Amino acid sequence: MLTMVTACSSKPRRFDPDAGSAAGVTVDPDKICEPGTQELCYGGPPSTMGAGLCKAGARTCNDEGTEHGPCEGQIQPAIELCDTPADENCDGAVNEGCIYPSCADVPAGSPSGVYLHDPGASGAAEAPAVYCDMESEGGGWALLYNSVGSDRGTTMAFWDIPYLHRFRSKGEPSLDANVYQGWLYHQGTEYRDEVEDIQGKVAQLFHARSAGIEPDTLHFKAPELVSGESEIYEAQFAAGWSSSDFDGDTWAENCSVKYSRVTQHYSSCWRYSLGSDADSPVDDGGWGPHLHSASARRLGLHVDGSGYTRVKRLSRWVRR
């Protein structure tokens, strides 16, 4: 009969002759296992078994019952490869230490998460970390910015980003934190804006393309709406860009100054804001991201009863 045990021991298991004699059965003292039986075996660190690609194998007791054969089928930790979506070293992380030109170069099938990027585009001394969405619309999307609502009242101040810092980084890449990585505008030809409402429902606001970006004004070159909310696309992508010390929007005044010094793309002025309300008072306790409630309703999102509803998250993704 084929039997399996849940783990293998580094020491041979011998039959107990006394136990056999007590039962009136003659036991060969050289036997350590029952011929033909199998047990699981694994030669790697115990903590890695079952993680990543690593798995146990099986070894079979020989015909004499004196020893086990080789451990067949096991996979032990190996060197991490950068061109596969697998966790070869079985440490629970994929492609750690690997550096990619963009999220689009991360191997297809890799999980969404933080990956290191070529520092050339960012101007950083070391490879910057970028959050990559590897699942939506074919994957390969880099998180350019993310605004997260907070009762602590800290989000609004985060988005006061001066003109000279328009291509710099701020915050750590995560969908649960405020992050801005303006240098990713240099890479982009495709953009996708999305929102998550207070109840956790996520909706895409629009998908757009551009032929690049004007570095002095942050105006998109030849912007084009692919799909989604045309009003939000016009207000937050196709028109202008303003910070508190640069007025590049299409309104007679500075939209950023008008709305709590929030730096973002504007027309006259916004359908969503990364840090300001449009209902009085516009600071809204420092909560942060708001979306025009009429747009939220069209998308089937929760609204809080105001003209510009609080949302949990507003995110912009870019793909080259």
Side-chain angles (χ1 to χ4, degrees):
M1 178 182 296
L2 180 66
T3 60
M4 294 287 289
V5 295
T6 57
C8 65
S9 171
S10 59
K11 297 180 179 180
R13 296 182 300 106
R14 293 187 178 277
F15 290 124
D16 183 355
D18 294 335
S21 298
V25 178
T26 300
V27 177
D28 185 346
D30 293 327
K31 291 181 67 175
I32 64 169
C33 54
E34 187 67 28
T37 60
Q38 290 185 317
E39 66 178 21
L40 296 177
C41 53
Y42 184 66
S47 62
T48 63
M49 188 173 71
L53 293 181
C54 293
K55 65 177 183 177
R59 60 184 187 177
T60 304
C61 183
N62 67 9
D63 292 341
E64 293 75 30
T66 56
E67 63 179 349
H68 288 94
C71 186
E72 298 180 343
Q74 70 167 327
I75 299 178
Q76 296 187 43
I79 295 174
E80 191 80 355
L81 302 177
C82 293
D83 57 355
T84 77
D87 177 16
E88 286 91 358
N89 64 4
C90 307
D91 65 349
V94 175
N95 296 340
E96 68 274 26
C98 299
I99 298 175
Y100 298 99
S102 73
C103 287
D105 297 293
V106 176
S110 298
S112 297
V114 177
Y115 295 87
L116 297 180
H117 276 47
D118 185 346
S122 67
E126 299 180 350
V130 177
Y131 189 94
C132 298
D133 176 357
M134 301 302 298
E135 301 166 23
S136 302
E137 297 192 22
W141 296 93
L143 184 62
L144 193 153
Y145 63 60
N146 191 57
S147 178
V148 177
S150 172
D151 286 323
R152 295 189 299 272
T154 57
T155 298
M156 188 178 69
F158 180 94
W159 295 103
D160 184 2
I161 299 171
Y163 176 79
L164 288 177
H165 295 178
R166 63 195 182 281
F167 291 122
R168 296 188 186 179
S169 295
K170 190 176 183 181
E172 297 297 325
S174 169
L175 284 181
D176 299 318
N178 293 307
V179 59
Y180 176 75
Q181 294 190 299
W183 60 272
L184 285 167
Y185 277 123
H186 291 305
Q187 290 192 352
T189 59
E190 280 188 275
Y191 292 84
R192 182 169 57 84
D193 283 15
E194 71 178 10
V195 59
E196 181 178 353
D197 70 16
I198 295 297
Q199 297 182 344
K201 182 177 180 179
V202 177
Q204 182 168 293
L205 297 174
F206 65 81
H207 180 181
R209 295 193 185 99
S210 78
I213 199 162
E214 297 286 352
D216 293 334
T217 63
L218 257 67
H219 282 199
F220 291 103
K221 299 177 182 178
E224 174 190 0
L225 177 65
V226 177
S227 62
E229 293 282 305
S230 59
E231 292 180 350
I232 300 178
Y233 160 80
E234 292 291 341
Q236 314 311 149
F237 189 85
W241 179 92
S242 288
S243 61
S244 62
D245 58 350
F246 179 84
D247 186 5
D249 57 62
T250 58
W251 191 38
E253 300 178 43
N254 184 320
C255 288
S256 175
V257 172
K258 172 71 173 178
Y259 290 104
S260 308
R261 301 172 64 92
V262 173
T263 297
Q264 64 175 49
H265 280 88
Y266 291 99
S267 59
S268 302
C269 282
W270 57 268
R271 291 285 172 165
Y272 77 62
S273 175
L274 300 174
S276 176
D277 197 353
D279 302 309
S280 183
V282 296
D283 64 7
D284 196 16
W287 169 266
H290 289 75
L291 174 65
H292 189 220
S293 292
S295 298
R297 292 189 187 95
R298 283 197 299 272
L299 293 166
L301 301 174
H302 173 80
V303 296
D304 60 15
S306 67
Y308 293 83
T309 184
R310 286 183 171 191
V311 294
K312 181 178 180 181
R313 170 175 63 89
L314 280 166
S315 308
R316 172 162 289 176
W317 302 89
V318 61
R319 183 168 65 184
R320 71 175 192 177

